[in-house]
Amino acid sequence: MGTDKRFELRMTGSGGQGLILGSIILAEAAIMEGKIVTQSQVYGAEARGGTTKAELVISSKHIAYPKVTDPDVLAAMTDEGLRQYGGGISRKTEVIIDSSVMTTPDFLNEESCRDLLALPIRSTLVDRLATELGLNIVLLGVIEGLTGVVSVETLRKAIGKHVKKQHLDLNMRALDLGMEMVEAQAKTGIRI
Amino acid sequence: MGTDKRFELRMTGSGGQGLILGSIILAEAAIMEGKIVTQSQVYGAEARGGTTKAELVISSKHIAYPKVTDPDVLAAMTDEGLRQYGGGISRKTEVIIDSSVMTTPDFLNEESCRDLLALPIRSTLVDRLATELGLNIVLLGVIEGLTGVVSVETLRKAIGKHVKKQHLDLNMRALDLGMEMVEAQAKTGIRI
Amino acid sequence: MRLDFLRSERLPNIWCPGCGNGIVLRALLEAISQLQLDPDKVVLVSGIGCSSRAPAYTAFDNVHTLHGRAIPTATGIKLANPDLSVIVLTGDGDCSAIGGNHLIHAARRDVDITVVVFNNYNYGMTGGQASPLTPAASITTTTPSGNMDRPFDLVNLATGAGATYVARSGIYFTKHLVDHLRKAISHRGFSLVDAVAQCPTYYGRFNRKGSAGQMITSQKDWMVLKNVADKKNPEELAGKVVIGEFVNIIGARQADIDAAKEQS
Amino acid sequence: MRLDFLRSERLPNIWCPGCGNGIVLRALLEAISQLQLDPDKVVLVSGIGCSSRAPAYTAFDNVHTLHGRAIPTATGIKLANPDLSVIVLTGDGDCSAIGGNHLIHAARRDVDITVVVFNNYNYGMTGGQASPLTPAASITTTTPSGNMDRPFDLVNLATGAGATYVARSGIYFTKHLVDHLRKAISHRGFSLVDAVAQCPTYYGRFNRKGSAGQMITSQKDWMVLKNVADKKNPEELAGKVVIGEFVNIIGARQADIDAAKEQS
Amino acid sequence: MPERKSYKITHYRKWCKNCGICVAVCPKKVYEIDRNDRHAIVHPQDCIGCQMCVDHCPDFALTVEEVKDE
Amino acid sequence: MPERKSYKITHYRKWCKNCGICVAVCPKKVYEIDRNDRHAIVHPQDCIGCQMCVDHCPDFALTVEEVKDE
Amino acid sequence: MNEHVVLMQGNEAVAEGAIAAGVRFYAGYPITPSSEIAEIMARRMPEVGGVFLQMEDEIASIMAIIGASLAGKKVLTATSGPGFSLMQEGLGYACMVEAPIVLLESMRYGPSTGMPTKVSQMDLMQSRWGTHGDHWIIVLSPASVEESYRLTIRAVNLAEKYRNPVIVLSDETISHLREPIDVSVSPTLTDRKLPVEKSGYLPYRTDISLVPAIANIGTGFHTSFTGLVHGESGFQTANGHVAEALVERLRDKLFNNLDDIIQFETDRVEDAEILFVSFGITARGVSETVETLRSRGRKAGALRLVTLFPFDDDRIRQAAGSARTIIVPELNSGQLVLLIKRVFGDSRKVVPMNKINGDLISPQDILDFLQEENL
Amino acid sequence: MNEHVVLMQGNEAVAEGAIAAGVRFYAGYPITPSSEIAEIMARRMPEVGGVFLQMEDEIASIMAIIGASLAGKKVLTATSGPGFSLMQEGLGYACMVEAPIVLLESMRYGPSTGMPTKVSQMDLMQSRWGTHGDHWIIVLSPASVEESYRLTIRAVNLAEKYRNPVIVLSDETISHLREPIDVSVSPTLTDRKLPVEKSGYLPYRTDISLVPAIANIGTGFHTSFTGLVHGESGFQTANGHVAEALVERLRDKLFNNLDDIIQFETDRVEDAEILFVSFGITARGVSETVETLRSRGRKAGALRLVTLFPFDDDRIRQAAGSARTIIVPELNSGQLVLLIKRVFGDSRKVVPMNKINGDLISPQDILDFLQEENL
Ligand SMILES: Cc1ncc(C[n+]2csc(CCOP(=O)(O)OP(=O)(O)O)c2C)c(N)n1
Ligand SMILES: Cc1ncc(C[n+]2csc(CCOP(=O)(O)OP(=O)(O)O)c2C)c(N)n1
Ligand code: SF4
Ligand code: SF4
Ligand code: SF4
Ligand code: SF4
Ligand code: SF4
Ligand code: SF4
Ligand SMILES: [Mg+2]
Ligand SMILES: [Mg+2]
């Protein structure tokens, strides 16, 4: 990420997936690297359960308008999330979807976004680490692998601040898994 | 009272004396004669007991400003009432005080008012009718005797609307008493 | 339960998986079905809270008012049109915190409405804060080290305020719940049913009450029928919640007024 | 009674001749005298009403709040400075109509304040309208043909809400009143004294209760001491008001919390 | 025969509202409301110092103290 | 020997939130929450028609009716 | 003498006006200086087959009349500043569910409990902005007992017609003033529009009037009311477009009808060089002053706002003629003058005149003011 | 990397700011979007030796903090629109007894319950005019998490200094936004002035500051508080002169110190031809837009109000430079613009820009608006 550039990330999925925490971890990592951030989410206190959205803007200088307007990355972890909050992307946007639980929607194509990265995130996590916890961290790994928006070390530190000791190892493996998935994909070159 | 003229009356005394009712009765009498009136009072709901003030404006045409500004008659039935609401009189004002319970204050003189009519209202009432009820009606009689602001017949009718049958006679006598007192005073010519 | 009492087009409801509100709502619709009330003459009035969303899932006239204000609104409706069966659906917070005054005054006036309290021991809607019915020592978002306040006993409160029908039931005991809802609605005068439900998302999670299924079946363990409880001593009842009918007085208000008239 | 507790320069008070408020105030000052409280550490808090003017006639710190809001204000004061003896002087309307919710919640929380209700059965300040403690069938300016509502029994209401000290007395029984005020103030936790006073100007006049003197001495006829009443049957007590101590529980709140902790 | 105690009644006219409560509660008829509706101490010598009037005066207008003659 | 009644269970998947309450209350273990956290009817034949599941489903997602074969 | 002319107190005129307008449900809580309205209604409602309820507080009072209104009654409550503050949340709810309600507010001296028996005009801005969120309320201001009667009727009619809360903003003086009024004229009454067709019924669907025909509770339409943002169905939604449309409609249903809603009175504005803009009781001192000034040869005029809100800058500007000096007397520290300044900008000299001692502004006060300020 | 820079949510910043400012008493009632403040205070107050109270409603909450304030604590409550409406009576009482209290209001979409999780700026005018009677409140408006922290401290200081309620008027977006803030700077704190001399002590006697040194309850001064009009003694009176003096003092104690109280921020106003006037979260979209416009060669500038009330026309006029076109973007149907129009009259073109769908005004929205309106 260029020092002056504004980096915008939007993540969407279902309530329990920890996407908001994911965005906070990434925000803290960016702060550790001296960046400015604004993190926000749809706040569902009076709209139970369902779909969630987390947003993060990272910049090396003051962030005036705090919300995502033209995301660099859109990560969608459920169909419903993509339906509700998948708008507002552009040719600039790298879209990540979890192909293990989602069907690729028609509206995502070369015209509407920069790239579509369809990865079987949930199923890979379950297969490889035999757990569903850490889905948000795998996603952070994917985003990190894709953008390198912060250094991996900082990201690990930020994760460490938020997870209990006994889960640290699992989470580090989840992060690695995410990054690996991007690498593998990059090698095959298959995206959409 | 000239048809166009605005007649202003202020009465002040203590809570139980029925001055407000007195002003209402006079107001209704005036209405019966086709006049316009505005009647008001200090409203003491959150200031228990004590001193009261009732005001009445009578005119043959529309009354814009509804309060007494330059009274034609000020009737004070207690010292405290006179102290609190005795201001705002002028050379135009005929002042009535109840000499049986009040001491004539210094500030009332030829300079400050038109005339001072000191009548032993309460004591005369008690002496003559052996009651204290009807003090307000005696006062109406005094005012009527002094100003003739409405016809005596109308005034009687208005009183009739407000008092119980069994008290009607007493009240009529109270009215007469008030008028008599003025007449007597007029004959003697003694005022201040 | 008459299925046409449900406004199917608005389902699924917004409640979390395992939320007790749906069970209370179902029991209420069952009670109304059993009473064969004319659906045109039933109105459900609620305040604000997860539970207060219930009326809008029914086919009846329904009024979603302000937080705590269902009861005075219902009072206005009932007195404007006494032909209606006016039922208030409210939360423990809605009716006993911000709405507490209206509750006791409706009980005192003995206005002919029925109040069904969806009692989940916390404020679900705003994220699991303590309510006046949150048990002592419980964890909520505003009692992070355990609730230092004592809760109301809603039955005692309503009784103390003069309610003429007071009952309590739990969502495990659906037949019991339906029975008491039916009696409450039929009661002429003010009636209240404390319907102990559950909020697995907040109260359950914070206080390690297990899954929604465990929460509901556990009512068997900590609830005691009133006729059983009446035979037990206080020690045996420690930690238990008694369910059943506590007050059922007919014609109380008129009797009181008549008596007073006689006295004076 | 320590006369220096009175703010003599503000006397005579604004109350009507024969109003019962002064008698309750005197009893309170006597209770405070007997308890030898440090006058710097006593604060009297009131709402709005004739009775709520009482604190301003004393030499203590005093807070005349809004109609119905004395209790939450007092709660804030007490918790901000627990060294203070915080006493709420309130009217029947002030504490049981608009302030009813605060009353029951303070009782539930068992906050260590004392509430003294100057209960004159109506809204004196605004001209004699009905209050929630106006007896059924009574005439007031808003019940011209007799009150069709039942009143609260303030003792039952406070008890139902969880109060740990509840007593009632009458202004005829000044020693009894002083005793119970003293106990209430000494009580650690929420205490309430329903001090039955009189409003000769409105309630007395509208209901033909006679002169102020007659109103006060008549309390002998319609009030019954609790220990006497306990031996009578309901018929014998019809139309009577029972005075005495109804609840006096020490350490209730902590006990409840401890018990709950043990359970969970 | 024990000496009969005597009492000094003080009446603050400025605060008194002539309500008649002291008249009603005094067991010894020490007070009256007179023809002019005013409070009057009519039989001070009958006072037994019971303090009923003091405790019931809503206007703090009365004190009754024992007169100690040394 | 009385004929054993049989029941038709209808599950509205659209309304079901897979909360597991029916699993917990069914005396006959007719339901399960499966590996994918989804409600499943696993032993419909064991159903005794007690309506526990129906009455306790917070989402109106179940009906159980007796199958009358004429 | 006209048999129908009776002496009435302002509060009584409100109560009788409401009854004449068809109000059959009153819920309230006593407060000086409006308590007499409750007391009169306690007697009168049973007489006319209506319901009188004394509630536990002002919050309950406004909610009870909203409930009764939704159940089809014409309703009233009355209060004063402290109670009005407590009613604010309910008032916003009434705006949102479009419940026709009428609220009498008699202004006394504030802030807080202030001086309960003294007059003020200090709640003007509160009547417009007291509740949270974007909302629109109709506020009418009587200047006499007779007008209290008439405007209460008008308030009920407007409430029903536009399905909106209407406030009659009176004051302590008018509430307690007694004047003769003629009650023989039978008023024209307006009833709310009701739906007829049950099939396809959507409570908040509107025609060009933008006023929905919402069924009364209990008439078989199975209507849904909520203070949350809702669409035509009446059910809650968090859809931004729906929200926008709703709030705009709540405004436009009134603003499209300003000709119907806005009333004011002018007195010799045409050639006025000095113009007084005022409302309520203050206008009466003004009117006498204008008379006096004219008699002295000064070209004075007056504009009295009868409808206070909606407030339309253009209409005021047009009504105000071309006076170079505009004086705004009011019984507060300057509220109406803020609006009048906005209307005229720098184009006129807008001079506030404020009295905040609990008394009225008398004609003499105004004359003195003119002299002191060299106006 | 600065160790003291932490990621904080707006609500958390308010809570921590309050603690840094010395607040040791919090009473509140949960409501979206301010509930986190209560939740944080429930944990933090015991940690810092303070008191956390969850009250039965918002009315009790504001009364409890007033009580605690009079007993000497620095206090806070937090709420949102519906709760704010309920607090209005208490707010006026705080003005009248001159209790230093701080109230955080996080604006959500209204009216009524509206859309609880959506942002608005619809309570601006309510914050000024919500309670009855003439009164003056200080209202501060943060535009970021960092400023939420800073302005909460400032609010506590101003409340203590002027013995007046201070509102921090935030919104749903800022409440839930997370941004880095540096909490290492220890703030300057202000404490209320207290009396020393008991003899002849009169609680409401003031020196030239017009701010009385009222004793805290329990310190032996035997003070008297009332919401009724009161003189220097603190005791109630219905004397008109006293009333007038009191209300004027309540105004002047703030208006004599506008330099201290009023803050705003300007951005390239000097040569601006088009000026944006805004507050709170909206100012952030504006600031980015100004950047963009400047980069395109347009002379744009911005004025952001940090202190919303007291509102001083002259100061605004001076700060606004000479731009001919003034655009007032806000998340409501037009509230700030009413004030700005008053300030500028016809001398400038004042254009409202309103968004009422529950979303923020983005830089793109503004650019589009300029295009559509040919500005
Ligand atoms: C005046 C006001 N204060 C606060 C809120 C926020 N609020 C909404 S629901 C609620 C509590 C709900 O609790 P409860 O009544 O128990 O219902 P539940 O969600 O648990 O079913 C609160 C505090 C509000 N909407 N309005
Ligand atoms: C919010 C509000 N509502 C109403 C009032 C008017 N008001 C003042 S005192 C009072 C009733 C007083 O009755 P109570 O508490 O019994 O006191 P009392 O005068 O009888 O001693 C009322 C309704 C008010 N001041 N504030
Ligand atoms: S938060 Fe609790 S009460 Fe609300 S819907 Fe979820 S489970 Fe039910
Ligand atoms: S009105 Fe009643 S309560 Fe008030 S002072 Fe007079 S007698 Fe006492
Ligand atoms: S009781 Fe007190 S106030 Fe009443 S008459 Fe006797 S001395 Fe006077
Ligand atoms: S002390 Fe007793 S006996 Fe003496 S005057 Fe008073 S009441 Fe009468
Ligand atoms: S109880 Fe209902 S919602 Fe829950 S899993 Fe069973 S069918 Fe689904
Ligand atoms: S009806 Fe009874 S047995 Fe059958 S599935 Fe439901 S709970 Fe199980
Ligand atoms: Mg709840
Ligand atoms: Mg009372």
Side-chain angles (χ1 to χ4, degrees), chain A residues 25-133:
Chain A
I25 290 172
L26 187 53
E28 292 193 341
I31 292 174
M32 290 177 191
E33 297 191 348
K35 300 272 169 51
I36 309 294
V37 302
T38 61
Q39 183 278 343
S40 59
Q41 62 269 318
V42 277
Y43 195 83
E46 302 210 12
R48 306 264 122 264
T51 301
T52 186
K53 176 178 83 164
E55 291 191 350
L56 179 61
V57 180
I58 302 179
S59 171
S60 47
K61 43 172 216 182
H62 171 71
I63 299 171
Y65 188 67
K67 296 239 169 168
V68 168
T69 50
D70 188 6
D72 295 276
V73 175
L74 166 73
M77 305 301 279
T78 61
D79 283 331
E80 185 54 26
L82 185 59
R83 201 186 62 72
Q84 276 189 43
Y85 301 114
I89 55 172
S90 74
R91 290 297 318 263
K92 174 185 167 195
T93 316
E94 197 103 38
V95 179
I96 303 167
I97 68 169
D98 182 351
S99 59
S100 64
V101 296
M102 297 167 68
T103 48
T104 313
D106 297 339
F107 75 87
L108 289 177
N109 53 42
E110 288 95 349
E111 298 293 291
S112 63
C113 63
R114 177 155 144 231
D115 242 341
L116 173 68
L117 191 60
L119 299 171
I121 302 180
R122 186 173 187 274
S123 60
T124 312
L125 170 65
V126 173
D127 286 355
R128 296 272 295 273
L129 303 182
T131 175
E132 287 181 27
L133 296 172

Side-chain angles (χ1 to χ4, degrees), chain G residues 270-328:
Chain G
E270 306 70 31
D271 65 340
E273 287 161 2
I274 181 164
L275 179 75
F276 296 91
V277 182
S278 66
F279 69 101
I281 191 67
T282 300
R284 295 185 64 172
V286 164
S287 137
E288 195 166 315
T289 312
V290 168
E291 205 59 54
T292 309
L293 290 172
R294 285 276 171 178
S295 76
R296 295 184 187 169
R298 271 204 83 173
K299 291 197 171 151
L303 168 60
R304 175 170 78 91
L305 307 186
V306 177
T307 304
L308 295 172
F309 298 104
F311 188 94
D312 182 55
D313 292 21
D314 290 338
R315 277 182 177 70
I316 301 293
R317 206 175 292 118
Q318 277 159 31
S322 54
R324 301 304 309 159
T325 304
I326 296 178
I327 298 176
V328 187

Side-chain angles (χ1 to χ4, degrees), chain G residues 39-336:
Chain G
E39 295 171 356
I40 294 164
M41 286 305 213
R43 180 170 48 77
R44 293 284 281 132
M45 276 294 113
E47 287 174 9
V48 297
V51 175
F52 167 82
L53 263 182
Q54 183 175 325
M55 297 301 287
E56 53 272 23
D57 60 17
E58 287 86 352
I59 299 175
S61 301
I62 193 167
M63 295 315 288
I65 63 165
I66 292 171
S69 171
L70 297 180
K73 296 282 181 196
K74 293 184 178 177
V75 301
L76 176 74
T77 190
T79 190
S80 180
F84 191 48
S85 287
L86 289 172
M87 287 184 180
Q88 290 303 332
E89 197 199 6
L91 198 58
Y93 180 73
C95 291
M96 200 64 154
V97 298
E98 301 180 60
I101 63 168
V102 177
L103 191 160
L104 181 289
E105 215 260 86
S106 179
M107 290 182 283
R108 60 189 224 184
Y109 194 99
S112 200
T113 28
M115 296 196 295
T117 61
K118 297 279 177 122
V119 69
S120 91
Q121 297 183 306
M122 291 177 170
D123 307 343
L124 170 66
M125 290 298 263
Q126 186 194 24
S127 74
R128 170 67 186 92
W129 298 110
T131 191
H132 62 281
D134 277 357
H135 64 279
W136 290 270
I137 287 172
I138 299 174
V139 184
L140 309 179
S141 151
S144 69
V145 173
E146 189 275 331
E147 201 178 28
S148 297
Y149 183 82
R150 212 160 20 84
L151 281 189
T152 303
I153 296 172
R154 187 166 150 72
V156 174
N157 286 345
L158 289 173
E160 295 284 324
K161 180 167 178 186
Y162 295 107
R163 293 198 71 105
N164 209 79
V166 180
I167 292 169
V168 180
L169 194 64
S170 188
D171 62 64
E172 190 278 333
T173 296
I174 298 173
S175 281
H176 290 145
L177 192 66
R178 284 189 182 81
E179 295 186 303
I181 85 172
D182 185 338
V183 292
S184 62
V185 217
S186 59
T188 322
L189 302 188
T190 312
D191 292 328
R192 66 186 75 170
K193 197 165 47 182
L194 292 174
V196 266
E197 191 53 69
K198 288 191 187 175
S199 88
Y201 165 67
L202 286 172
Y204 287 91
R205 171 169 294 169
T206 63
D207 57 20
I208 193 172
S209 76
L210 303 185
V211 180
I214 310 174
N216 293 333
I217 289 174
T219 56
F221 283 80
H222 304 202
T223 302
S224 193
F225 297 92
T226 180
L228 292 169
V229 164
H230 48 270
E232 292 187 336
S233 68
F235 290 106
Q236 174 271 334
T237 170
N239 181 311
H241 300 297
V242 175
E244 187 173 349
L246 172 59
V247 169
E248 283 179 352
R249 183 173 65 71
L250 292 179
R251 181 191 60 211
D252 293 342
K253 73 174 178 178
L254 302 184
F255 277 73
N256 288 353
N257 294 291
L258 293 183
D259 280 336
D260 184 36
I261 298 168
I262 294 187
Q263 292 187 334
F264 40 76
E265 246 180 45
T266 53
D267 179 10
R268 287 165 281 186
V269 162
E270 306 70 31
D271 65 340
E273 287 161 2
I274 181 164
L275 179 75
F276 296 91
V277 182
S278 66
F279 69 101
I281 191 67
T282 300
R284 295 185 64 172
V286 164
S287 137
E288 195 166 315
T289 312
V290 168
E291 205 59 54
T292 309
L293 290 172
R294 285 276 171 178
S295 76
R296 295 184 187 169
R298 271 204 83 173
K299 291 197 171 151
L303 168 60
R304 175 170 78 91
L305 307 186
V306 177
T307 304
L308 295 172
F309 298 104
F311 188 94
D312 182 55
D313 292 21
D314 290 338
R315 277 182 177 70
I316 301 293
R317 206 175 292 118
Q318 277 159 31
S322 54
R324 301 304 309 159
T325 304
I326 296 178
I327 298 176
V328 187
E330 44 186 334
L331 299 176
N332 57 43
S333 302
Q335 297 192 15
L336 178 59

